[in-house]
Amino acid sequence: MNLTEEYNLAVAHQQEHGCSAPPYESYQKLFDIAKQTNSQRILEIGTGVGFTALVLATACANAEIDSIEKDSEHVEIASGYIQSHGLSNRVHIHNVVAEDFLASLKPGYDLIFFDGFQIHYEFLPHYERLLKPSGILVLGNNHLSSKTSEQFFGELNDNGQWKILEKFGETTVAKKN
Ligand SMILES: C[S@@+](CC[C@H](N)C(=O)[O-])C[C@H]1O[C@@H](n2cnc3c(N)ncnc32)[C@H](O)[C@@H]1O
């Protein structure tokens, strides 16, 4: 799998349609982090056109992936893309709004990747419930602040439930204690 080729295709697609789903630039880092976790269950928030779901599925060959996307046009494109890579059996794309859906998911994820625009505080309790102990949170789009993003990062740093592992680009990586 040539991820750079897939990234370039996803960027070309985004430019062609002018849609609001820029593919995740630090995909090689995401691949390396995911591979290290050897995850069996992964949650992604912000499927876009499916590029990072492919990255995660390639890095973790046995993982079941739940990927959440609110835009039905993106879901349609991503579903076709995932199918064309033969991954529909283990990449499950949910056409839902994350805020409405997270409470229905069962805990036990090894890895959560957030790439869904602004950071909102209300997601943090869900991450704490859904991740296994020592589970990894990769949080993109740190530059897109919301009314509650400061509170989110304040608690992530100080509530005793997390260890910040690294920061790169607009991304924070944290491990759940
Ligand atoms: C930056 S793009 C994701 C790009 C994708 N991860 C990739 O690199 O291929 C963000 C996506 O998140 C979706 N999104 C934003 N907020 C969301 C929410 N609250 N629930 C579900 N999807 C959301 C948007 O519709 C958009 O498709």
Side-chain angles (χ1 to χ4, degrees):
M1 173 72 54
N2 185 332
L3 292 182
T4 301
E5 220 165 78
E6 297 297 331
Y7 175 74
N8 290 338
L9 279 174
V11 171
H13 167 85
Q14 190 225 348
Q15 285 167 352
E16 191 183 320
H17 293 276
C19 70
S20 58
Y24 184 66
E25 255 182 283
S26 303
Y27 58 90
Q28 189 58 54
K29 282 284 286 181
L30 179 66
F31 177 89
D32 294 342
I33 292 166
K35 197 168 174 63
Q36 250 188 350
T37 64
N38 190 25
S39 291
Q40 302 299 302
R41 281 186 75 206
I42 297 176
L43 172 62
E44 172 178 64
I45 301 169
T47 318
V49 295
F51 168 63
T52 42
L54 174 73
V55 171
L56 294 165
T58 307
C60 299
N62 298 314
E64 291 285 325
I65 301 174
D66 288 307
S67 186
I68 297 176
E69 173 55 56
K70 67 180 177 182
D71 182 315
S72 49
E73 205 182 319
H74 291 170
V75 167
E76 202 180 320
I77 296 165
S79 300
Y81 180 72
I82 290 300
Q83 193 172 18
S84 72
H85 284 88
L87 291 167
S88 305
N89 57 332
R90 61 188 184 93
V91 177
H92 314 288
I93 301 173
H94 305 272
N95 190 188
V96 291
V97 175
E99 288 86 329
D100 300 339
F101 186 67
L102 290 174
S104 70
L105 291 170
K106 292 205 177 83
Y109 289 95
D110 303 287
L111 174 69
I112 297 178
F113 172 53
F114 171 85
D115 191 26
F117 301 150
Q118 291 94 346
I119 310 280
H120 294 286
Y121 172 72
E122 68 180 291
F123 285 64
L124 189 61
H126 290 296
Y127 297 155
E128 290 172 354
R129 183 181 70 84
L130 290 172
L131 270 180
K132 282 181 178 169
S134 298
I136 299 293
L137 174 64
V138 180
L139 196 66
N141 293 333
N142 292 189
H143 59 306
L144 300 179
S145 60
S146 72
K147 280 183 191 157
T148 58
S149 49
E150 211 170 296
Q151 183 187 9
F152 182 102
F153 282 109
E155 294 221 9
L156 190 75
N157 280 293
D158 293 334
N159 76 1
Q161 302 240 36
W162 300 93
K163 180 177 181 206
I164 307 294
L165 297 182
E166 64 173 316
K167 295 183 186 198
F168 55 85
E170 305 298 348
T171 297
T172 298
V173 183
K175 180 159 125 178
K176 190 182 146 188
N177 289 333

